[in-house]
C-alpha cells in the first residue's frame, strides 16, 4: 500500500514560535488533507488541498500541495497553547473514496510555557 | 447539530469476550469507516461501507466484523479472534463522490481496554 512519511514525529516549541511539518510520499496523490487531533478526541479536518501547487490558509494555518504531488507541508504561525495536539496528514488517491486514504503517523506538537 | 456519535467513550472487557462498538451519524453520509489508532501510529482502516447492506475489508480486518443495516449506523464487533484488541477506535463518515473531494468526518472515538 501507499506510505506517507510525516516529520517531525514530535515538536517541543515555545509559545509564539512558528511551526512547520511536512509529509512526503513515493506515490502521487490527488488530494492532501491535514487533520488535528486533541487528546481523547477524534481528528478534525483543518485544511483540504485538491490541486498541485495549491496554497491554502485557515487562520494561522497555511498548507501547500507540493508541485510534484508527492508532498505537502503545514505551517502554524505564532503558536498558542490550544495548538497542542497531534497533526496528521493524509493523501488520497484519484477516484477513490476514503478507502483510498493513507494517513501519516502524526506530528505531536507540545508547547512549552 | 449534525455529527457522528460513538459510544461508549471507554470500554473494558475480559479477554475472550466479543464486544460491539457503536457508531451513529446524522450527516446523511453514504460512506462510513472504522479506523484503529495505536500510540505513535497513524490511522489504520479496519472496515468501510459505501452503501447500506454492503461493506469491504480494510487493511486490518482480521478479528473484526461489521454490519450496515441502516444508513445511520455502522457498528463494529471486536471478536475474541483479534489478538491485540486494546486500542482507540475511530468511526468516520463521508460523502463518496469518487473524485477524492470527500474529507472524512470523525467521531470522538472509543477507547477499548481488554485484560
Amino acid at each position: 500500500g501507499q506510505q506517507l512519511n510525516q516529520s517531525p514525529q514530535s515538536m517541543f516549541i515555545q509559545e509564539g514560535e512558528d511551526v512547520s511539518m511536512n509529509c512526503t510520499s513515493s506515490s502521487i496523490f490527488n488530494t492532501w488533507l491535514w487533520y488535528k487531533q486533541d487528546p481523547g478526541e477524534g481528528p478534525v479536518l483543518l485544511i483540504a488541498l485538491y490541486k498541485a501547487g495549491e496554497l491554502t490558509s485557515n487562520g494561522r494555518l497555511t498548507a501547500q500541495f507540493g508541485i510534484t504531488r508527492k508532498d505537502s507541508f503545514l505551517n502554524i504561525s505564532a503558536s498558542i497553547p490550544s495548538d497542542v495536539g497531534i497533526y496528521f496528514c493524509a493523501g488520497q488517491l484519484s477516484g477513490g473514496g476514503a478507502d483510498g486514504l493513507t494517513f501519516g503517523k502524526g506530528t505531536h506538537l507540545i508547547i512549552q510555557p | 447539530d449534525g455529527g457522528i456519535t460513538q459510544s461508549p467513550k471507554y470500554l473494558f472487557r475480559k479477554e475472550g469476550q466479543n464486544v460491539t462498538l457503536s457508531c451513529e451519524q446524522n450527516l446523511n453520509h453514504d460512506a462510513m469507516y472504522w479506523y484503529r489508532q495505536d500510540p505513535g501510529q497513524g490511522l489504520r482502516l479496519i472496515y468501510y461501507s459505501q452503501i447500506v447492506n454492503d461493506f469491504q475489508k480494510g487493511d486490518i480486518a482480521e478479528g473484526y466484523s461489521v454490519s450496515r443495516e441502516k444508513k445511520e449506523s455502522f457498528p463494529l464487533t471486536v471478536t475474541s479472534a483479534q489478538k491485540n484488541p486494546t486500542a482507540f477506535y475511530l468511526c468516520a463518515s463521508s460523502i463518496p463522490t469518487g473524485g477524492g473531494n470527500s474529507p472524512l468526518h470523525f467521531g470522538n472515538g472509543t477507547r477499548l481496554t481488554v485484560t
Side-chain angles (χ1 to χ4, degrees), chain A residues 52-68:
Chain A
E54 179 181 356
L55 183 71
T56 297
S57 294
N58 178 6
R60 292 178 296 106
L61 278 61
T62 301
Q64 184 160 28
F65 192 144
I67 197 71
T68 65

Side-chain angles (χ1 to χ4, degrees), chain B residues 65-77:
Chain B
S65 65
V66 294
S67 63
R68 187 83 187 279
E69 297 176 1
K70 299 186 299 182
K71 186 176 184 178
E72 301 80 15
S73 179
F74 191 41
L76 172 75
T77 296

Side-chain angles (χ1 to χ4, degrees), chain B residues 55-67:
Chain B
F55 48 82
Q56 305 294 330
K57 292 182 179 180
D59 299 320
I60 54 165
E62 185 175 351
Y64 300 97
S65 65
V66 294
S67 63

Side-chain angles (χ1 to χ4, degrees), chain B residues 4 20-21 23 37 59 62 72 78 93 98-99 106 109 114:
Chain B
I4 301 175
T20 297
L21 282 60
C23 179
Q37 184 177 24
D59 299 320
E62 185 175 351
E72 301 80 15
V78 184
S93 70
F106 285 91
V114 176

Side-chain angles (χ1 to χ4, degrees), chain A residues 4-7 21-24 32-35 72 87-91 102-107:
Chain A
L4 286 184
N5 296 312
Q6 184 171 353
S7 65
M21 60 191 79
N22 69 84
C23 277
T24 60
W32 282 96
L33 306 169
W34 284 93
Y35 287 86
S72 177
Y87 292 80
F88 290 101
C89 64
T102 301
F103 283 88
K105 292 188 176 182
T107 294

Side-chain angles (χ1 to χ4, degrees), chain B residues 31-50:
Chain B
M32 296 186 73
Y33 309 82
W34 275 103
Y35 286 89
R36 171 182 172 135
Q37 184 177 24
D38 295 286
Q41 299 295 314
L43 304 181
R44 293 184 290 170
L45 183 63
I46 304 172
Y47 267 99
Y48 64 98
S49 169
Q50 302 278 32

